[in-house]
């Protein structure tokens, strides 16, 4: 019976003590049994390495021959999932069908031994971590493995990584969408525009270009669409300014359009704590204050951003993606589907069918974006505790749609809308956690059930918001991410529009309630972000101060850079509840604390923020919605006589043109009015 198979513990075994398990459970059971008996065991693949090492005569043998084959292959994503004993030659043949090949170069050990090709199995290649001659360009085998599921020496099933479909840089969403378009009697054509990463430019002079990029993006999309006479538009967006810029162009063009958000990043992890990009900036504050050392700081930096996707908290990217979904300009779940999830793949495939339907219905952005849908978006922003940047962007979006919507409308909505989301930066959780409990659609359904949304607004599905949400599962409050209305974080919204002698044309505060509702303290004044950062680093900022950062507005910056680094440094130094900060610049969505931005008129235009001096008493009242400096009008007039308007920091180029054309912050910083 040398070749006759018999069954032993549900696993086939031949007379040569060779077992032939058919699945991982059988492998697990068998290895557990052999482990208990302390039985030497030899794993057999294709035999490509038989000439290496010595055989143990008494060993039981486990043949993996029945665990072979391709499970899933997605050429567009450069992704293939196979069983452990799949010969590499089989994998290569499958890839060849799509003119693809393995990044690494397998070593043909069979040819080395006897002149017959045998490159071994996937598992064998992984275990030896072969690389071949391409090592220095593409790395070794393990550099291209997303994850695996296997059996350890005790027979336990273990997993590492994941089976999420992605490549090193994330999905190529535009190609996935194009494939979906081409399947629906349409022809998809791809063109690109610019993009600025706030994560890279933050805290540098490059941040001046971030907000202006929004209008450059809108202008460039409009230019190509009009010049080439394209019938419809699908935009693939990621960071903060991409989204409003893309939507502004859609509204100007008014052709069937859908916005696709690239998705949120997965959380990083360090010492059992979830991290995101803001963790890195706050760690800098902890380092300069002596709370952590350089090694700890370095570890946080390295682990904060583990892969593709926009910043993970309810910062500006996730704020705007949520708002745009609430406005009806993206497909359901678009804003909360993680960047590297299979949900994002499926969503992209649906876009082609959706845009075909919009063309057929002749349903255009101005049919969808109305004052009521903008109100829906702002209410959702309020419930989720979204970024103050949303004020700038929603004003600009409304202007592009020729809809009258002002900063005072924000205040009216904030007064009648509770803050419910325990999301970063002021809370605990990330967008991925919101996705796990039903995503933005579940939140919107809860709002609809409580009369906080207008369900009759049209969406890009060709259905109303109410119709889209009909089959969505209601929120279960056995979770900590979203609170019920009966137990809000704050009974009214976190975004406050403040007026006073510092901000006669308005300003925007982000008050979650955790910071208190009233702050009064002595001013410490800085005329740039760099000055402020150095002041915080050198201990000039003390408990009870109101930090003033000026000449960083739309014209003075120019470009109204975000003050994330100083606010994060304040948090990192442990002064988050003891210090307030006001500025004519703006804030990252990652900013939290007692902060007021968008002060208008800005310092460059001679606003009273330019006249504040060290030790002036500044009072911020989030109940009365006021911001003032405790000096008389006569004193302000006297100081104004000694004030000289600074020259613009740029005399040519993009930022010069921006200074000459940009409206003030209370009007959305638009450049086409």
């Amino acid at each position: 019976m040398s070749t006759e198979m018999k069954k032993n513990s549900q696993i086939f075994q031949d007379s040569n003590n060779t077992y032939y398990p058919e699945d991982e459970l059988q492998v697990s059971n068998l290895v557990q049994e052999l482990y208990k008996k302390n039985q030497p065991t030899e794993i057999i693949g294709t035999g490509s390495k038989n000439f290496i090492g010595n055989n143990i005569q008494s060993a039981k043998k486990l043949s993996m021959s029945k665990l072979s084959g391709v499970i899933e292959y997605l050429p567009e994503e450069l992704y293939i999932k196979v069983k452990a004993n799949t010969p590499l030659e089989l994998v290569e043949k499958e890839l060849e069908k799509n003119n693809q090949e393995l990044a690494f170069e397998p070593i043909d050990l069979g040819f080395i031994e006897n002149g017959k090709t045998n490159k071994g199995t996937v598992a064998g290649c992984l275990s030896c971590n072969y690389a071949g001659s391409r090592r220095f360009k593409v790395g070794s085998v393990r550099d291209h493995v997303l994850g695996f599921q296997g059996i350890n020496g005790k027979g336990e099933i273990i997993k590492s990584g994941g089976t999420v479909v992605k490549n090193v840089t994330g999905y190529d969403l535009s190609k996935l969408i194009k494939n979906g378009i081409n399947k629906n009697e349409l022809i998809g054509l791809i063109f690109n525009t610019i993009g600025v990463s706030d994560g890279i430019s933050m805290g540098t002079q490059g941040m001046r270009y971030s907000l202006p990029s929004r209008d450059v993006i809108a202008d460039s999309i409009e230019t190509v669409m009009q010049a080439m006479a394209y019938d419809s538009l699908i935009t693939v967006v990621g960071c903060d300014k991409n989204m409003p810029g893309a939507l502004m162009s859609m509204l100007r063009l008014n052709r069937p359009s859908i916005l696709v958000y690239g998705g949120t990043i997965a959380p990083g992890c360090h010492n059992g704590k979830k991290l995101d990009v803001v963790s890195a900036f706050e760690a800098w504050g902890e380092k300069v204050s002596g709370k952590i050392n350089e090694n700890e700081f370095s570890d946080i930096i390295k682990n904060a951003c583990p892969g593709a996707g926009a910043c993970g908290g309810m910062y500006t990217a996730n704020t705007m993606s949520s708002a745009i979904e609430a406005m009806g300009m993206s497909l359901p779940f678009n804003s909360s589907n993680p960047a590297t999830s299979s949900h994002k793949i499926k969503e992209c495939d649906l876009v082609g069918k959706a845009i075909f339907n919009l063309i057929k219905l002749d349903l255009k952005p101005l049919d969808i974006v109305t004052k009521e849908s903008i109100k829906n978006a702002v209410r959702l922003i309020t419930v989720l505790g979204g970024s103050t940047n949303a004020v700038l962007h929603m004003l600009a979006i409304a202007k592009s749609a020729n809809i009258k919507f002002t900063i005072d409308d924000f205040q009216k909505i904030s007064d009648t809308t509770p803050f419910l989301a325990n999301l970063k930066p002021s809370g605990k959780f990330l967008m991925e956690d919101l996705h796990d409990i039903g995503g933005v659609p579940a939140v919107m359904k809860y709002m609809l059930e409580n009369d906080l949304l207008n369900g009759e607004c049209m969406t890009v599905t060709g259905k109303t918001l109410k119709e889209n949400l009909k089959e969505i599962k209601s929120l279960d409050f056995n979770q900590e991410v979203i609170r019920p209305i009966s137990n809000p974080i704050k009974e009214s919204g976190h975004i406050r529009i403040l007026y006073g002698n510092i901000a006669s044309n308005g300003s925007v505060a982000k008050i979650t309630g955790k910071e208190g509702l009233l702050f009064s303290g002595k001013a410490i004044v800085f005329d740039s972000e760099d000055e402020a950062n150095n002041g915080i680093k050198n201990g000039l900022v003390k408990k009870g101060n109101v930090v003033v950062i000026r000449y960083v507005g739309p014209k003075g910056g120019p470009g109204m850079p975000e003050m994330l680094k100083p606010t994060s440094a304040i948090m990192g130094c442990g002064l988050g509840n003891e210090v307030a900060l006001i500025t004519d610049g703006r804030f990252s969505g990652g900013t939290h604390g007692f902060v007021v931005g968008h002060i208008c008129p800005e310092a460059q235009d001679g606003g009273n923020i330019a006249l504040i001096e060290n030790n002036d008493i500044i009072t911020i009242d989030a109940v009365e919605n006021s911001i003032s400096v405790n000096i008389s009008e006569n004193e302000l007039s006297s100081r104004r006589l000694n004030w000289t308007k600074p020259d613009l920091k740029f005399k040519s180029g993009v930022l010069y043109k921006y200074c000459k054309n940009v409206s003030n912050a209370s009007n959305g910083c638009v450049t086409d009015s």
Side-chain angles (χ1 to χ4, degrees):
M1 276 181 45
S2 61
T3 59
E4 183 179 351
M5 308 296 288
K6 65 180 180 178
K7 202 168 188 181
N8 180 20
S9 301
Q10 299 183 325
I11 301 170
F12 289 114
Q13 180 186 10
D14 66 15
S15 60
N16 294 320
N17 288 324
T18 302
Y19 295 87
Y20 296 84
E22 297 183 356
D23 55 45
E24 71 174 16
L25 185 59
Q26 288 188 357
V27 177
S28 174
N29 290 336
L30 182 58
V31 174
Q32 287 181 41
E33 184 179 331
L34 296 172
Y35 176 76
K36 289 175 184 177
K37 296 177 180 178
N38 200 27
Q39 173 66 55
T41 306
E42 180 184 350
I43 309 296
I44 299 174
T46 62
S48 62
K49 296 179 287 296
N50 282 350
F51 69 101
I52 302 174
N54 298 316
N55 294 326
I56 303 173
Q57 297 300 317
S58 63
K60 298 285 186 180
K61 295 179 175 59
L62 266 66
S63 172
M64 300 291 110
S65 59
K66 294 183 177 292
L67 294 167
S68 175
V70 176
I71 300 171
E72 186 179 18
Y73 176 34
L74 299 172
E76 198 65 46
E77 283 307 302
L78 307 180
Y79 170 85
I80 190 165
K81 181 179 180 181
V82 299
K83 295 180 181 179
N85 203 64
T86 307
L88 282 177
E89 289 98 322
L90 191 153
V91 176
E92 290 178 320
K93 286 179 182 178
E94 194 70 20
L95 296 177
E96 285 173 5
K97 296 176 183 178
N98 290 281
N99 294 317
Q100 295 180 343
E101 64 179 5
L102 293 168
F104 57 90
E105 184 181 18
I107 297 176
D108 195 341
L109 289 173
F111 188 83
I112 294 171
E113 182 187 13
N114 54 31
K116 298 180 180 179
T117 291
N118 186 348
K119 297 179 182 179
T121 66
V122 171
C125 199
L126 175 60
S127 66
C128 297
N129 201 27
Y130 290 147
S133 61
R134 303 174 193 166
R135 171 184 288 275
F136 296 104
K137 288 186 176 181
V138 302
S140 59
V141 175
R142 293 172 193 169
D143 294 316
H144 301 274
V145 174
L146 301 175
F148 73 91
Q149 183 166 309
I151 315 294
N152 67 14
K154 296 181 180 180
E156 300 164 335
I157 297 175
I158 58 171
K159 297 180 181 179
S160 179
T163 57
V164 173
V165 184
K166 66 181 181 68
N167 56 42
V168 175
T169 58
Y171 301 137
D172 191 340
L173 299 186
S174 59
K175 290 183 179 178
L176 295 174
I177 293 167
K178 181 178 178 179
N179 289 343
I181 290 168
N182 293 345
K183 288 191 292 186
N184 284 276
E185 303 177 41
L186 302 170
I187 297 174
L189 299 170
I190 297 173
F191 68 91
N192 300 298
T193 182
I194 67 162
V196 170
S197 169
D198 287 1
I200 294 173
S201 62
M202 191 69 69
T204 74
Q205 297 303 310
M207 193 62 196
R208 292 168 163 172
Y209 290 86
S210 174
L211 183 59
S213 77
R214 181 194 71 184
D215 291 63
V216 175
I217 289 166
D219 293 348
S220 64
I221 294 174
E222 177 192 354
T223 300
V224 174
M225 288 291 296
Q226 292 284 34
M228 307 304 290
Y230 291 147
D231 298 309
S232 63
L233 174 64
I234 298 165
T235 57
V236 182
V237 294
C239 203
D240 310 5
K241 268 52 71 189
N242 305 165
M243 279 174 276
L247 185 54
M248 288 160 66
S249 71
M250 291 174 174
L251 294 164
R252 294 179 192 175
L253 294 161
N254 201 33
R255 299 174 195 177
S257 303
I258 298 173
L259 183 141
V260 179
Y261 174 45
T264 186
I265 193 172
C269 186
H270 176 64
N271 289 341
K273 181 182 177 183
K274 286 188 176 182
L275 301 177
D276 60 14
V277 66
V278 176
S279 306
F281 288 98
E282 292 184 356
W284 181 80
E286 292 179 301
K287 185 185 76 166
V288 299
S289 66
K291 288 187 174 182
I292 61 174
N293 59 30
E294 183 65 39
N295 288 337
E296 182 78 359
F297 174 67
S298 179
D299 286 344
I300 292 171
I301 296 293
K302 290 174 182 177
N303 289 283
C305 299
C311 301
M314 190 47 61
Y315 311 147
T316 307
N318 284 325
T319 296
M320 291 310 303
S321 65
S322 301
I324 290 166
E325 184 173 334
M327 271 187 284
M329 285 302 298
S330 60
L331 295 181
F333 295 98
N334 169 76
S335 60
S336 45
N337 283 336
T340 56
S341 70
S342 58
H343 302 284
K344 186 57 69 176
I345 295 290
K346 293 173 183 175
E347 177 196 330
C348 289
D349 192 55
L350 293 172
V351 170
K353 184 177 180 180
I355 197 70
F356 181 82
N357 186 50
L358 288 177
I359 295 170
K360 187 168 66 174
L361 296 173
D362 195 30
L363 187 61
K364 298 184 286 291
L366 291 178
D367 302 319
I368 296 169
V369 178
T370 63
K371 188 161 186 175
E372 287 302 310
S373 71
I374 289 176
K375 287 181 179 179
N376 280 347
V378 175
R379 284 201 187 276
L380 179 65
I381 290 167
T382 307
V383 164
L384 295 177
S387 165
T388 53
N389 281 315
V391 178
L392 286 175
H393 299 324
M394 295 304 297
L395 293 173
I397 288 165
K399 192 268 175 188
S400 294
N402 200 28
I403 294 168
K404 186 178 179 181
F405 195 84
T406 70
I407 55 173
D408 296 326
D409 290 309
F410 267 90
Q411 189 60 63
K412 291 174 185 175
I413 292 171
S414 191
D415 287 341
T416 57
T417 307
F419 170 35
L420 303 178
N422 186 15
L423 295 168
K424 284 178 176 284
S426 59
K428 178 180 177 182
F429 296 100
L430 297 166
M431 194 65 160
E432 189 174 78
D433 300 306
L434 182 62
H435 169 74
D436 291 339
I437 65 166
V440 166
V443 177
M444 288 199 293
K445 179 154 188 177
Y446 182 65
M447 292 172 67
L448 189 64
E449 292 167 344
N450 289 274
D451 299 321
L452 290 173
L453 284 184
N454 183 336
E456 301 306 315
C457 293
M458 184 54 62
T459 74
V460 292
T461 65
K463 300 177 181 179
T464 64
L465 190 63
K466 184 178 181 180
E467 289 172 323
N468 286 345
L469 298 174
K470 185 177 180 181
E471 302 301 322
I472 298 296
K473 187 179 179 182
S474 296
L475 265 180
D476 181 351
F477 287 102
N478 291 320
Q479 42 81 25
E480 301 179 57
V481 184
I482 303 292
R483 290 193 186 182
I485 290 173
S486 59
N487 182 31
I489 296 172
K490 189 170 179 282
E491 290 185 356
S492 60
H494 62 299
I495 290 179
R496 317 303 293 179
I497 307 301
L498 310 183
Y499 291 91
N501 65 355
I502 294 178
S504 58
N505 292 338
S507 61
V508 180
K510 185 177 186 178
I511 309 295
T512 65
K514 295 182 179 181
E515 312 84 355
L517 299 173
L518 179 71
F519 195 103
S520 187
K522 291 182 179 181
I524 179 166
V525 182
F526 302 100
D527 286 341
S528 71
E529 182 188 358
D530 284 345
E531 285 184 22
N533 290 334
N534 288 329
I536 297 165
K537 181 180 179 181
N538 295 327
L540 298 181
V541 175
K542 307 293 185 181
K543 178 179 177 180
N545 279 153
V546 177
V547 177
V548 179
I549 307 177
R550 62 193 181 190
Y551 296 107
V552 290
K555 296 177 183 177
M560 206 179 181
E562 292 178 350
M563 299 295 110
L564 177 60
K565 191 169 182 178
T567 58
S568 297
I570 288 169
M571 284 291 175
C573 291
L575 295 171
N577 294 323
E578 313 292 345
V579 168
L581 187 149
I582 70 172
T583 180
D584 53 5
R586 60 194 179 96
F587 298 111
S588 162
T591 291
H592 58 123
F594 213 111
V595 297
V596 183
H598 307 205
I599 287 176
C600 190
E602 64 174 293
Q604 184 70 32
D605 283 339
N608 285 347
I609 189 174
L611 309 178
I612 297 172
E613 297 177 358
N614 286 333
N615 297 318
D616 286 345
I617 301 299
I618 294 173
T619 301
I620 306 163
D621 190 332
V623 177
E624 297 297 325
N625 296 329
S626 66
I627 179 169
S628 60
V629 57
N630 190 25
I631 55 177
S632 67
E633 285 299 319
N634 286 338
E635 176 62 18
L636 284 170
S637 297
S638 176
R639 291 183 185 183
R640 187 172 300 282
L641 292 173
N642 296 315
W643 178 78
T644 302
K645 183 175 183 175
D647 292 334
L648 293 174
K649 294 183 176 74
F650 287 80
K651 305 296 184 183
S652 63
V654 170
L655 293 181
Y656 177 74
K657 287 190 286 185
Y658 190 77
C659 294
K660 289 294 186 181
N661 291 287
V662 69
S663 68
N664 63 44
S666 292
N667 286 301
C669 293
V670 296
T671 55
D672 63 336
S673 61

